[in-house]
Amino acid sequence: MAQDQQRMRGRAARVGGLGRWMAVVAAVVAVGGVGAPPVASAHDRVAARDIGSGRAGIPGVRVYDIPQRHHVLDPVDYSSGPTPPVGGPHHPLWQNADGDVYDRPLRNEHAVHSLEHGVVWVTYAPYVPRRVVDAFARKVEGRPYRMMSPVPGQTAPVTLTAWGRQLSVTSADDPRVDQFFEAYVQGAQSPEPEGPVTGGRAIP
């Protein structure tokens, strides 16, 4: 009888000790102190992804390494790269790209954020005839993860840009245009291919 009572007291002590230990752990996790598991941000999780670097077999596509993609509020100097830019630091707010066709130039910092989300950005030089612009607009308008705008400093007539990828063309009938959309809209090159393309900046 005495042994049974001793075993019961030992079991109660162990259960009580376990309860106190769990309470301490819960309190530490609740305040984010030592022992709390780190919570990865979206950028942390994306950084571990395998981002493809191939050209998808499309002739003329130029591939660029993008070493940085952090958020900044100040203007970014993209002059060391191509026009329009293909990636890099960018504004926290993306440009809406749910098939949006803009008639004025976009702020690069917003557009680059859209590229990070898997958008293909069609841009054209001011001298391009309206019929050519309209032909490309039909390939963009109303189609998610696509957007279009003029770029004053662009030398090529029309340029298709994805994150780290770029192709210059002269006609919407060029078969590489559809190939580029197919390969790079939410493609493997995109750091955040499921990122939103609505709810961002809606005006140029």
Side-chain angles (χ1 to χ4, degrees), residues 121-172:
W121 181 19
V122 178
T123 58
Y124 57 94
Y127 62 80
V128 173
R130 173 50 55 182
R131 58 179 177 77
V132 175
V133 173
D134 290 344
F136 278 96
R138 287 192 290 271
K139 291 182 177 288
V140 172
E141 192 169 16
R143 302 193 185 194
Y145 290 87
R146 303 185 187 190
M147 67 181 183
M148 181 173 173
S149 72
V151 172
Q154 181 172 306
T155 56
V158 180
T159 299
L160 282 71
T161 302
W163 184 270
R165 309 290 184 271
Q166 198 164 77
L167 173 69
S168 294
V169 294
T170 58
S171 170

Side-chain angles (χ1 to χ4, degrees), residues 25-39:
V25 170
V28 170
V29 170
V31 300
V34 177
V39 178

Side-chain angles (χ1 to χ4, degrees), residues 65-81:
D65 292 327
I66 312 296
Q68 297 181 338
R69 59 184 189 88
H70 55 280
H71 290 172
V72 295
L73 295 177
D74 295 328
V76 178
D77 182 5
Y78 296 106
S79 61
S80 62

Side-chain angles (χ1 to χ4, degrees), residues 85-154:
V86 296
H90 49 269
H91 195 277
L93 187 65
W94 57 89
Q95 189 74 38
N96 283 350
D98 195 29
D100 295 87
V101 176
Y102 300 96
D103 59 2
R104 289 181 290 148
L106 305 177
R107 182 179 170 190
N108 286 329
E109 289 83 357
H110 297 295
V112 168
H113 194 157
S114 299
L115 298 181
E116 185 185 45
H117 288 185
V119 167
V120 167
W121 181 19
V122 178
T123 58
Y124 57 94
Y127 62 80
V128 173
R130 173 50 55 182
R131 58 179 177 77
V132 175
V133 173
D134 290 344
F136 278 96
R138 287 192 290 271
K139 291 182 177 288
V140 172
E141 192 169 16
R143 302 193 185 194
Y145 290 87
R146 303 185 187 190
M147 67 181 183
M148 181 173 173
S149 72
V151 172
Q154 181 172 306

Side-chain angles (χ1 to χ4, degrees), residues 4 9 24 41 53 66 82 88 99 109 117 146 188 191 198 203:
D4 291 342
R9 285 195 296 269
V24 171
S41 69
S53 60
I66 312 296
E109 289 83 357
H117 288 185
R146 303 185 187 190
T198 60
I203 60 174

